[in-house]
Amino acid sequence: MRFRGLDLNLLVALDVLLEERNVTRAAERMHVGQSAMSAALARLRQHFEDDLLVASGRQMVPSALAATLQKPVKDVILQIGSLVETERQFIPARSTRQFTVEMPDHLQLVVLPMLMRQLSAEAPGVMIDVRPPSRDPSPSLATGELDLVLTPGIYADPEYACEVLATNQLVVLGCKDNTCLQEQPDLATVLSLRQVIVPFDRHRLGLLLEEQQMALYSGRNRTALIAPNFGCIPACLVKTQHIAILNRRLAEASLRSFALVMWEVPLAMPTLDDIIMYHPLRQNDGGHLWLRNQLKKAILIGGTNSAVTNAPRGP
């Protein structure tokens, strides 16, 4: 189909060419021969009267015009894709749709078990592909490779739509045999104990927390372990004198599996949101809306907001 002299199929080729910046790789992605992709590039150059991709050493880089075209072309492709995939009415019980979701491990442990029960009952044909956090999910959201990104609110990207998934309260978690945790610990006690933590962005977190609040997140000579993820922290506290500062939902889930005790953080702390982030073009997609609601329902049921457990009852 042609629109104002341009074969619209060439927009797809342009999108891939500008992303790959390599004719061979672009051809592989589009499952066409290299000669066909070269011909497509030649037609695009003729239409735009611009080289679009120019050689720079062993690489190809976009021209000034191509750089200005890249985001609008990407948005058009995504919008067309969204239009083509739109179901007149999303019916969960009949759908066989696949959703790709990026989700940090502290949410996986709380959300996924309940989400799978909900889907098994309501949408047995739907598939969820859960991926671990990437350094920057924005390109995958832009291309449609990712449907949703679940992430702490401090990583919200203003270019994408965001909804609050959960508001987290922080608690102190430790072994029930820890002699310092037989009653609600005071601030001096918490600051005296070594901690199990995960790597975190001190700069971003520092924008939300005051100096004394930041000091709770371990400190010099107080870090016992920098764990690779939140999920392994509770098991690492068993039969130790160490503590961790975790969100309440994850801490409560761990109490069902490990001999641990949970107490209030003895310092006023701000709540920290987890959010659902997605491309604005997906906002009214029936399937997306349904999945976002299912995620909110899962975390509401799977992570309770009950009062902090009191002192342990003994071994």
Side-chain angles (χ1 to χ4, degrees):
M1 178 180 176
R2 303 183 72 84
F3 181 74
R4 296 185 179 178
L6 177 66
D7 181 347
L8 294 183
N9 291 316
L10 290 176
L11 286 180
V12 179
L14 178 59
D15 176 49
V16 177
L17 281 164
L18 293 180
E19 188 171 312
E20 295 294 340
R21 301 183 184 186
N22 182 285
V23 173
T24 302
R25 289 199 301 268
E28 290 173 353
R29 270 187 56 181
M30 293 195 65
H31 306 289
V32 299
Q34 185 172 340
S35 60
M37 185 55 69
S38 295
L41 178 56
R43 292 171 64 192
L44 285 163
R45 285 170 167 165
Q46 182 180 16
H47 177 83
F48 287 104
E49 298 181 348
D50 186 87
D51 286 337
L52 298 177
L53 287 172
V54 294
S56 177
R58 295 185 177 182
Q59 297 179 330
M60 298 188 78
V61 297
S63 67
L65 175 62
T68 64
L69 288 173
Q70 187 163 10
K71 187 178 186 303
V73 168
K74 178 67 67 182
D75 288 345
V76 166
I77 297 300
L78 185 60
Q79 192 164 8
I80 292 172
S82 179
L83 177 65
V84 170
E85 294 170 3
T86 298
E87 300 161 279
R88 276 191 268 179
Q89 183 180 9
F90 180 78
I91 304 175
R94 299 181 187 173
S95 179
T96 57
R97 191 164 170 183
Q98 177 176 331
F99 297 94
T100 304
V101 180
E102 186 174 291
M103 186 184 303
D105 77 291
H106 75 276
L107 288 175
Q108 295 172 17
L109 295 165
V110 176
V111 171
L112 289 182
M114 186 55 62
L115 181 65
M116 287 301 96
R117 290 173 201 150
Q118 292 168 199
L119 267 58
S120 178
E122 300 177 28
V126 167
M127 175 182 169
I128 310 293
D129 179 3
V130 176
R131 301 183 181 180
S134 57
R135 185 175 295 273
D136 181 11
S138 296
S140 295
L141 280 174
T143 61
E145 181 183 349
L146 281 174
D147 291 296
L148 302 173
V149 172
L150 276 54
T151 184
I154 58 175
Y155 298 111
D157 187 327
E159 289 192 12
Y160 296 98
C162 296
E163 297 178 10
V164 174
L165 172 66
T167 298
N168 299 309
Q169 178 187 359
L170 298 174
V171 296
V172 177
L173 188 69
C175 179
K176 74 172 186 177
D177 297 324
N178 188 325
T179 55
C180 296
L181 299 180
Q182 300 306 298
E183 61 183 13
Q184 169 66 52
D186 58 20
L187 182 59
T189 299
V190 170
L191 293 175
S192 72
L193 296 170
R194 301 191 77 201
Q195 289 188 31
V196 178
I197 65 172
V198 295
F200 60 91
D201 190 330
R202 283 188 174 273
H203 172 71
R204 287 180 186 257
L205 203 57
L207 298 176
L208 296 176
L209 303 182
E210 298 176 357
E211 185 176 349
Q212 189 178 36
Q213 295 168 332
M214 279 291 291
L216 279 175
Y217 282 91
S218 193
R220 200 170 199 179
N221 301 320
R222 285 176 40 228
T223 300
L225 172 68
I226 300 177
N229 54 62
F230 285 102
C232 70
I233 287 180
C236 295
L237 299 174
V238 176
K239 297 188 182 299
T240 76
Q241 293 292 104
H242 306 322
I243 62 169
I245 308 294
L246 295 179
N247 79 65
R248 182 190 290 270
R249 288 181 176 83
L250 178 57
E252 286 180 337
S254 71
L255 295 180
R256 296 191 281 269
S257 302
F258 301 104
L260 300 173
V261 66
M262 179 174 70
W263 294 105
E264 299 282 0
V265 174
L267 180 67
M269 298 288 287
T271 54
L272 303 175
D273 291 338
D274 284 312
I275 62 170
I276 305 173
M277 191 162 63
Y278 53 93
H279 199 288
L281 292 174
R282 302 290 194 184
Q283 192 152 10
N284 297 317
D285 180 314
H288 270 244
L289 180 59
W290 171 82
L291 180 57
R292 298 197 301 268
N293 288 333
Q294 291 298 310
L295 288 164
K296 293 174 184 177
K297 179 180 176 182
I299 201 165
L300 183 65
I301 299 173
T304 65
N305 281 312
S306 60
V308 173
T309 56
N310 55 15
R313 300 172 183 170

